[in-house]
Amino acid sequence: MRTELPSVIWGPARFSPGVDEVAAPGRQSIIRSLERGNSVHRQMDNSEPPSWFQDPGDWVDGYWEAKLRLHAVCEVDGHRPWIVVAEVANPGMEYISDGSDEMEIPEQYR
């Protein structure tokens, strides 16, 4: 299990390995160039539970309402690198009103 620890994403989502040159386990996505005012979209998947989790539902329950923590290292020629840290809502979390005021688990998490 110790060898598995570095590949565990302790959160609700990961960048999709194999898409946009993202390597497994999906911890980082490198954006080579981004002009001010522009945006870049990256595909994300649900994070995978570690092998020692008996019930994948426990993994989902643990991160159901967790925000994504993003850490960007920005570099521009002539300047020292700087870091931007942000927490954003989990895009996989949906509120489905059935009159009970409870969160319903989307099919992808079941």
Side-chain angles (χ1 to χ4, degrees):
M1 283 189 234
R2 285 190 192 274
T3 58
E4 188 179 359
L5 283 175
S7 66
V8 175
I9 308 277
W10 299 96
R14 66 179 182 167
F15 293 107
S16 300
V19 178
D20 295 315
E21 300 178 28
V22 171
R27 189 175 305 284
Q28 68 178 3
S29 175
I30 297 172
I31 300 169
R32 302 274 179 223
S33 177
L34 184 63
E35 296 293 325
R36 185 178 185 174
N38 291 342
S39 61
V40 173
H41 297 274
R42 291 292 187 249
Q43 181 174 313
M44 299 187 86
D45 298 327
N46 299 331
S47 62
E48 296 289 323
S51 64
W52 62 86
F53 266 72
Q54 299 292 326
D55 180 3
D58 289 342
W59 182 258
V60 172
D61 289 346
Y63 290 112
W64 178 247
E65 294 183 18
K67 292 184 176 185
L68 300 177
R69 291 186 185 125
L70 304 176
H71 174 211
V73 178
C74 307
E75 298 176 354
V76 174
D77 289 339
H79 296 277
R80 291 186 334 190
W82 68 97
I83 297 172
V84 177
V85 178
E87 285 191 347
V88 297
N90 176 0
M93 188 172 151
E94 298 177 27
Y95 180 76
I96 302 171
S97 178
D98 63 358
S100 67
D101 285 339
E102 292 183 13
M103 301 299 281
E104 182 172 320
I105 299 175
E107 189 66 35
Q108 69 205 42
Y109 289 105
R110 292 183 195 158

PDB file of all heavy atoms in Angstrom, residues 2-3 6 17 25 28-30 33 36 40-41 43-44 48 50-53 56 60 68 77 93-94 99 102:
ATOM      1  N   ARG A   2       2.032   1.218   0.601  1.00  0.00           N
ATOM      2  CA  ARG A   2       2.890   2.412   0.619  1.00  0.00           C
ATOM      3  C   ARG A   2       3.224   2.876  -0.785  1.00  0.00           C
ATOM      4  O   ARG A   2       3.298   4.071  -1.034  1.00  0.00           O
ATOM      5  CB  ARG A   2       4.166   2.157   1.403  1.00  0.00           C
ATOM      6  CG  ARG A   2       3.978   2.124   2.880  1.00  0.00           C
ATOM      7  CD  ARG A   2       5.364   2.104   3.549  1.00  0.00           C
ATOM      8  NE  ARG A   2       5.270   1.791   4.942  1.00  0.00           N
ATOM      9  CZ  ARG A   2       5.044   2.695   5.885  1.00  0.00           C
ATOM     10  NH1 ARG A   2       4.888   3.944   5.554  1.00  0.00           N
ATOM     11  NH2 ARG A   2       4.967   2.328   7.146  1.00  0.00           N
ATOM     12  N   THR A   3       3.421   1.952  -1.687  1.00  0.00           N
ATOM     13  CA  THR A   3       3.752   2.327  -3.061  1.00  0.00           C
ATOM     14  C   THR A   3       2.564   2.970  -3.772  1.00  0.00           C
ATOM     15  O   THR A   3       2.744   3.715  -4.730  1.00  0.00           O
ATOM     16  CB  THR A   3       4.228   1.101  -3.866  1.00  0.00           C
ATOM     17  OG1 THR A   3       3.210   0.103  -3.846  1.00  0.00           O
ATOM     18  CG2 THR A   3       5.514   0.540  -3.291  1.00  0.00           C
ATOM     19  N   PRO A   6       1.515   7.612  -3.267  1.00  0.00           N
ATOM     20  CA  PRO A   6       1.782   8.789  -4.121  1.00  0.00           C
ATOM     21  C   PRO A   6       0.801   8.965  -5.277  1.00  0.00           C
ATOM     22  O   PRO A   6       0.650  10.060  -5.800  1.00  0.00           O
ATOM     23  CB  PRO A   6       3.191   8.523  -4.660  1.00  0.00           C
ATOM     24  CG  PRO A   6       3.805   7.545  -3.722  1.00  0.00           C
ATOM     25  CD  PRO A   6       2.668   6.718  -3.202  1.00  0.00           C
ATOM     26  N   PRO A  17      -6.255  11.305 -17.139  1.00  0.00           N
ATOM     27  CA  PRO A  17      -5.001  10.826 -17.710  1.00  0.00           C
ATOM     28  C   PRO A  17      -5.172  10.488 -19.193  1.00  0.00           C
ATOM     29  O   PRO A  17      -6.189   9.937 -19.609  1.00  0.00           O
ATOM     30  CB  PRO A  17      -4.680   9.575 -16.890  1.00  0.00           C
ATOM     31  CG  PRO A  17      -5.377   9.795 -15.594  1.00  0.00           C
ATOM     32  CD  PRO A  17      -6.646  10.522 -15.961  1.00  0.00           C
ATOM     33  N   PRO A  25      -1.181   9.815 -12.215  1.00  0.00           N
ATOM     34  CA  PRO A  25      -2.573   9.549 -11.844  1.00  0.00           C
ATOM     35  C   PRO A  25      -3.546  10.690 -12.140  1.00  0.00           C
ATOM     36  O   PRO A  25      -4.709  10.595 -11.772  1.00  0.00           O
ATOM     37  CB  PRO A  25      -2.474   9.306 -10.340  1.00  0.00           C
ATOM     38  CG  PRO A  25      -1.396  10.224  -9.889  1.00  0.00           C
ATOM     39  CD  PRO A  25      -0.385  10.206 -11.029  1.00  0.00           C
ATOM     40  N   GLN A  28      -1.685  16.556 -12.164  1.00  0.00           N
ATOM     41  CA  GLN A  28      -1.356  17.864 -12.722  1.00  0.00           C
ATOM     42  C   GLN A  28      -1.619  17.929 -14.217  1.00  0.00           C
ATOM     43  O   GLN A  28      -1.590  16.929 -14.915  1.00  0.00           O
ATOM     44  CB  GLN A  28       0.100  18.218 -12.455  1.00  0.00           C
ATOM     45  CG  GLN A  28       1.109  17.380 -13.182  1.00  0.00           C
ATOM     46  CD  GLN A  28       2.543  17.827 -12.886  1.00  0.00           C
ATOM     47  OE1 GLN A  28       2.765  18.727 -12.089  1.00  0.00           O
ATOM     48  NE2 GLN A  28       3.493  17.200 -13.519  1.00  0.00           N
ATOM     49  N   SER A  29      -1.897  19.141 -14.658  1.00  0.00           N
ATOM     50  CA  SER A  29      -2.084  19.434 -16.073  1.00  0.00           C
ATOM     51  C   SER A  29      -1.253  20.667 -16.381  1.00  0.00           C
ATOM     52  O   SER A  29      -1.419  21.710 -15.734  1.00  0.00           O
ATOM     53  CB  SER A  29      -3.561  19.703 -16.374  1.00  0.00           C
ATOM     54  OG  SER A  29      -3.719  20.098 -17.714  1.00  0.00           O
ATOM     55  N   ILE A  30      -0.365  20.557 -17.327  1.00  0.00           N
ATOM     56  CA  ILE A  30       0.527  21.667 -17.654  1.00  0.00           C
ATOM     57  C   ILE A  30      -0.064  22.458 -18.819  1.00  0.00           C
ATOM     58  O   ILE A  30      -0.404  21.904 -19.855  1.00  0.00           O
ATOM     59  CB  ILE A  30       1.931  21.145 -18.008  1.00  0.00           C
ATOM     60  CG1 ILE A  30       2.521  20.444 -16.787  1.00  0.00           C
ATOM     61  CG2 ILE A  30       2.821  22.281 -18.489  1.00  0.00           C
ATOM     62  CD1 ILE A  30       3.823  19.723 -17.040  1.00  0.00           C
ATOM     63  N   SER A  33       0.983  27.845 -22.434  1.00  0.00           N
ATOM     64  CA  SER A  33       0.849  29.268 -22.727  1.00  0.00           C
ATOM     65  C   SER A  33      -0.596  29.696 -22.495  1.00  0.00           C
ATOM     66  O   SER A  33      -1.528  28.996 -22.910  1.00  0.00           O
ATOM     67  CB  SER A  33       1.237  29.533 -24.187  1.00  0.00           C
ATOM     68  OG  SER A  33       1.046  30.886 -24.509  1.00  0.00           O
ATOM     69  N   ARG A  36      -3.425  36.665 -20.891  1.00  0.00           N
ATOM     70  CA  ARG A  36      -4.321  37.309 -19.930  1.00  0.00           C
ATOM     71  C   ARG A  36      -5.715  37.462 -20.533  1.00  0.00           C
ATOM     72  O   ARG A  36      -5.866  37.878 -21.673  1.00  0.00           O
ATOM     73  CB  ARG A  36      -3.759  38.672 -19.545  1.00  0.00           C
ATOM     74  CG  ARG A  36      -4.553  39.351 -18.490  1.00  0.00           C
ATOM     75  CD  ARG A  36      -3.931  40.652 -18.113  1.00  0.00           C
ATOM     76  NE  ARG A  36      -4.665  41.221 -17.019  1.00  0.00           N
ATOM     77  CZ  ARG A  36      -4.307  42.300 -16.386  1.00  0.00           C
ATOM     78  NH1 ARG A  36      -3.204  42.921 -16.713  1.00  0.00           N
ATOM     79  NH2 ARG A  36      -5.033  42.756 -15.403  1.00  0.00           N
ATOM     80  N   VAL A  40      -8.611  28.184 -20.342  1.00  0.00           N
ATOM     81  CA  VAL A  40      -8.320  26.851 -20.853  1.00  0.00           C
ATOM     82  C   VAL A  40      -9.199  25.876 -20.087  1.00  0.00           C
ATOM     83  O   VAL A  40      -9.370  26.001 -18.876  1.00  0.00           O
ATOM     84  CB  VAL A  40      -6.830  26.480 -20.640  1.00  0.00           C
ATOM     85  CG1 VAL A  40      -6.565  25.049 -21.018  1.00  0.00           C
ATOM     86  CG2 VAL A  40      -5.934  27.413 -21.425  1.00  0.00           C
ATOM     87  N   HIS A  41      -9.773  24.921 -20.788  1.00  0.00           N
ATOM     88  CA  HIS A  41     -10.607  23.910 -20.150  1.00  0.00           C
ATOM     89  C   HIS A  41      -9.844  22.596 -20.112  1.00  0.00           C
ATOM     90  O   HIS A  41      -9.128  22.252 -21.056  1.00  0.00           O
ATOM     91  CB  HIS A  41     -11.920  23.721 -20.916  1.00  0.00           C
ATOM     92  CG  HIS A  41     -12.760  24.962 -20.925  1.00  0.00           C
ATOM     93  ND1 HIS A  41     -13.629  25.267 -19.915  1.00  0.00           N
ATOM     94  CD2 HIS A  41     -12.832  25.981 -21.804  1.00  0.00           C
ATOM     95  CE1 HIS A  41     -14.213  26.415 -20.173  1.00  0.00           C
ATOM     96  NE2 HIS A  41     -13.748  26.868 -21.320  1.00  0.00           N
ATOM     97  N   GLN A  43     -10.342  18.373 -19.060  1.00  0.00           N
ATOM     98  CA  GLN A  43     -11.273  17.303 -18.722  1.00  0.00           C
ATOM     99  C   GLN A  43     -10.874  16.692 -17.387  1.00  0.00           C
ATOM    100  O   GLN A  43      -9.698  16.489 -17.115  1.00  0.00           O
ATOM    101  CB  GLN A  43     -11.250  16.232 -19.811  1.00  0.00           C
ATOM    102  CG  GLN A  43     -12.210  15.093 -19.541  1.00  0.00           C
ATOM    103  CD  GLN A  43     -12.256  14.131 -20.695  1.00  0.00           C
ATOM    104  OE1 GLN A  43     -12.366  14.537 -21.846  1.00  0.00           O
ATOM    105  NE2 GLN A  43     -12.151  12.850 -20.389  1.00  0.00           N
ATOM    106  N   MET A  44     -11.887  16.388 -16.560  1.00  0.00           N
ATOM    107  CA  MET A  44     -11.639  15.766 -15.267  1.00  0.00           C
ATOM    108  C   MET A  44     -12.520  14.543 -15.105  1.00  0.00           C
ATOM    109  O   MET A  44     -13.594  14.448 -15.698  1.00  0.00           O
ATOM    110  CB  MET A  44     -11.881  16.762 -14.135  1.00  0.00           C
ATOM    111  CG  MET A  44     -10.975  17.968 -14.199  1.00  0.00           C
ATOM    112  SD  MET A  44     -11.135  19.037 -12.770  1.00  0.00           S
ATOM    113  CE  MET A  44      -9.975  18.218 -11.681  1.00  0.00           C
ATOM    114  N   GLU A  48     -10.098   8.050  -8.149  1.00  0.00           N
ATOM    115  CA  GLU A  48     -10.236   6.616  -7.904  1.00  0.00           C
ATOM    116  C   GLU A  48      -9.962   6.295  -6.438  1.00  0.00           C
ATOM    117  O   GLU A  48      -8.972   6.780  -5.884  1.00  0.00           O
ATOM    118  CB  GLU A  48      -9.248   5.839  -8.771  1.00  0.00           C
ATOM    119  CG  GLU A  48      -9.512   5.991 -10.260  1.00  0.00           C
ATOM    120  CD  GLU A  48     -10.754   5.258 -10.697  1.00  0.00           C
ATOM    121  OE1 GLU A  48     -11.015   4.153 -10.170  1.00  0.00           O
ATOM    122  OE2 GLU A  48     -11.469   5.794 -11.553  1.00  0.00           O
ATOM    123  N   PRO A  50      -8.472   4.280  -3.320  1.00  0.00           N
ATOM    124  CA  PRO A  50      -7.327   3.383  -3.174  1.00  0.00           C
ATOM    125  C   PRO A  50      -7.792   1.930  -3.013  1.00  0.00           C
ATOM    126  O   PRO A  50      -8.941   1.671  -2.652  1.00  0.00           O
ATOM    127  CB  PRO A  50      -6.642   3.858  -1.897  1.00  0.00           C
ATOM    128  CG  PRO A  50      -7.283   5.141  -1.534  1.00  0.00           C
ATOM    129  CD  PRO A  50      -8.583   5.231  -2.238  1.00  0.00           C
ATOM    130  N   SER A  51      -6.905   0.996  -3.264  1.00  0.00           N
ATOM    131  CA  SER A  51      -7.259  -0.428  -3.247  1.00  0.00           C
ATOM    132  C   SER A  51      -7.765  -0.900  -1.888  1.00  0.00           C
ATOM    133  O   SER A  51      -8.511  -1.860  -1.817  1.00  0.00           O
ATOM    134  CB  SER A  51      -6.063  -1.272  -3.678  1.00  0.00           C
ATOM    135  OG  SER A  51      -5.011  -1.127  -2.744  1.00  0.00           O
ATOM    136  N   TRP A  52      -7.370  -0.229  -0.814  1.00  0.00           N
ATOM    137  CA  TRP A  52      -7.765  -0.705   0.518  1.00  0.00           C
ATOM    138  C   TRP A  52      -9.181  -0.269   0.897  1.00  0.00           C
ATOM    139  O   TRP A  52      -9.695  -0.682   1.916  1.00  0.00           O
ATOM    140  CB  TRP A  52      -6.767  -0.270   1.587  1.00  0.00           C
ATOM    141  CG  TRP A  52      -6.640   1.211   1.749  1.00  0.00           C
ATOM    142  CD1 TRP A  52      -7.407   2.032   2.519  1.00  0.00           C
ATOM    143  CD2 TRP A  52      -5.672   2.052   1.132  1.00  0.00           C
ATOM    144  NE1 TRP A  52      -6.987   3.327   2.411  1.00  0.00           N
ATOM    145  CE2 TRP A  52      -5.919   3.372   1.574  1.00  0.00           C
ATOM    146  CE3 TRP A  52      -4.620   1.831   0.252  1.00  0.00           C
ATOM    147  CZ2 TRP A  52      -5.152   4.453   1.159  1.00  0.00           C
ATOM    148  CZ3 TRP A  52      -3.859   2.908  -0.157  1.00  0.00           C
ATOM    149  CH2 TRP A  52      -4.124   4.192   0.288  1.00  0.00           C
ATOM    150  N   PHE A  53      -9.861   0.522   0.068  1.00  0.00           N
ATOM    151  CA  PHE A  53     -11.260   0.873   0.334  1.00  0.00           C
ATOM    152  C   PHE A  53     -12.139  -0.281  -0.105  1.00  0.00           C
ATOM    153  O   PHE A  53     -12.161  -0.631  -1.277  1.00  0.00           O
ATOM    154  CB  PHE A  53     -11.654   2.152  -0.408  1.00  0.00           C
ATOM    155  CG  PHE A  53     -11.508   3.392   0.407  1.00  0.00           C
ATOM    156  CD1 PHE A  53     -10.260   3.893   0.702  1.00  0.00           C
ATOM    157  CD2 PHE A  53     -12.613   4.051   0.899  1.00  0.00           C
ATOM    158  CE1 PHE A  53     -10.106   5.025   1.463  1.00  0.00           C
ATOM    159  CE2 PHE A  53     -12.478   5.182   1.663  1.00  0.00           C
ATOM    160  CZ  PHE A  53     -11.218   5.670   1.951  1.00  0.00           C
ATOM    161  N   PRO A  56     -16.390   1.464  -2.644  1.00  0.00           N
ATOM    162  CA  PRO A  56     -16.138   2.732  -3.330  1.00  0.00           C
ATOM    163  C   PRO A  56     -17.117   3.836  -2.915  1.00  0.00           C
ATOM    164  O   PRO A  56     -16.799   5.009  -2.984  1.00  0.00           O
ATOM    165  CB  PRO A  56     -16.309   2.392  -4.814  1.00  0.00           C
ATOM    166  CG  PRO A  56     -16.087   0.923  -4.896  1.00  0.00           C
ATOM    167  CD  PRO A  56     -16.569   0.356  -3.589  1.00  0.00           C
ATOM    168  N   VAL A  60     -16.642   8.052  -2.200  1.00  0.00           N
ATOM    169  CA  VAL A  60     -17.497   9.115  -2.724  1.00  0.00           C
ATOM    170  C   VAL A  60     -18.109   9.909  -1.586  1.00  0.00           C
ATOM    171  O   VAL A  60     -18.110  11.135  -1.595  1.00  0.00           O
ATOM    172  CB  VAL A  60     -18.606   8.530  -3.635  1.00  0.00           C
ATOM    173  CG1 VAL A  60     -19.621   9.591  -4.018  1.00  0.00           C
ATOM    174  CG2 VAL A  60     -17.983   7.911  -4.876  1.00  0.00           C
ATOM    175  N   LEU A  68     -12.648  21.409  -5.001  1.00  0.00           N
ATOM    176  CA  LEU A  68     -11.390  21.087  -5.660  1.00  0.00           C
ATOM    177  C   LEU A  68     -10.363  22.133  -5.240  1.00  0.00           C
ATOM    178  O   LEU A  68     -10.641  23.334  -5.291  1.00  0.00           O
ATOM    179  CB  LEU A  68     -11.553  21.121  -7.179  1.00  0.00           C
ATOM    180  CG  LEU A  68     -12.559  20.157  -7.780  1.00  0.00           C
ATOM    181  CD1 LEU A  68     -12.646  20.377  -9.280  1.00  0.00           C
ATOM    182  CD2 LEU A  68     -12.166  18.729  -7.490  1.00  0.00           C
ATOM    183  N   ASP A  77       8.715  35.111 -18.438  1.00  0.00           N
ATOM    184  CA  ASP A  77      10.111  35.515 -18.598  1.00  0.00           C
ATOM    185  C   ASP A  77      10.355  36.868 -17.948  1.00  0.00           C
ATOM    186  O   ASP A  77       9.553  37.796 -18.072  1.00  0.00           O
ATOM    187  CB  ASP A  77      10.484  35.603 -20.087  1.00  0.00           C
ATOM    188  CG  ASP A  77      10.578  34.238 -20.737  1.00  0.00           C
ATOM    189  OD1 ASP A  77      10.761  33.243 -20.012  1.00  0.00           O
ATOM    190  OD2 ASP A  77      10.455  34.168 -21.989  1.00  0.00           O
ATOM    191  N   MET A  93     -20.932  17.650  -8.541  1.00  0.00           N
ATOM    192  CA  MET A  93     -21.966  17.674  -7.507  1.00  0.00           C
ATOM    193  C   MET A  93     -23.199  18.385  -8.042  1.00  0.00           C
ATOM    194  O   MET A  93     -23.122  19.496  -8.524  1.00  0.00           O
ATOM    195  CB  MET A  93     -21.443  18.405  -6.277  1.00  0.00           C
ATOM    196  CG  MET A  93     -22.342  18.335  -5.101  1.00  0.00           C
ATOM    197  SD  MET A  93     -21.489  19.026  -3.694  1.00  0.00           S
ATOM    198  CE  MET A  93     -22.878  19.628  -2.798  1.00  0.00           C
ATOM    199  N   GLU A  94     -24.326  17.718  -7.985  1.00  0.00           N
ATOM    200  CA  GLU A  94     -25.563  18.290  -8.497  1.00  0.00           C
ATOM    201  C   GLU A  94     -26.630  18.260  -7.420  1.00  0.00           C
ATOM    202  O   GLU A  94     -26.701  17.324  -6.638  1.00  0.00           O
ATOM    203  CB  GLU A  94     -26.080  17.473  -9.683  1.00  0.00           C
ATOM    204  CG  GLU A  94     -25.154  17.442 -10.865  1.00  0.00           C
ATOM    205  CD  GLU A  94     -25.702  16.547 -11.970  1.00  0.00           C
ATOM    206  OE1 GLU A  94     -26.936  16.390 -12.054  1.00  0.00           O
ATOM    207  OE2 GLU A  94     -24.891  16.007 -12.711  1.00  0.00           O
ATOM    208  N   GLY A  99     -37.954  17.539  -3.313  1.00  0.00           N
ATOM    209  CA  GLY A  99     -38.797  17.977  -2.217  1.00  0.00           C
ATOM    210  C   GLY A  99     -38.270  17.596  -0.848  1.00  0.00           C
ATOM    211  O   GLY A  99     -38.806  17.996   0.157  1.00  0.00           O
ATOM    212  N   GLU A 102     -32.472  16.956   0.106  1.00  0.00           N
ATOM    213  CA  GLU A 102     -31.283  16.107   0.228  1.00  0.00           C
ATOM    214  C   GLU A 102     -30.569  16.066  -1.108  1.00  0.00           C
ATOM    215  O   GLU A 102     -31.164  16.261  -2.156  1.00  0.00           O
ATOM    216  CB  GLU A 102     -31.666  14.678   0.643  1.00  0.00           C
ATOM    217  CG  GLU A 102     -32.193  14.590   2.038  1.00  0.00           C
ATOM    218  CD  GLU A 102     -32.491  13.174   2.436  1.00  0.00           C
ATOM    219  OE1 GLU A 102     -32.058  12.243   1.722  1.00  0.00           O
ATOM    220  OE2 GLU A 102     -33.155  12.978   3.464  1.00  0.00           O
TER     221      GLU A 102
END
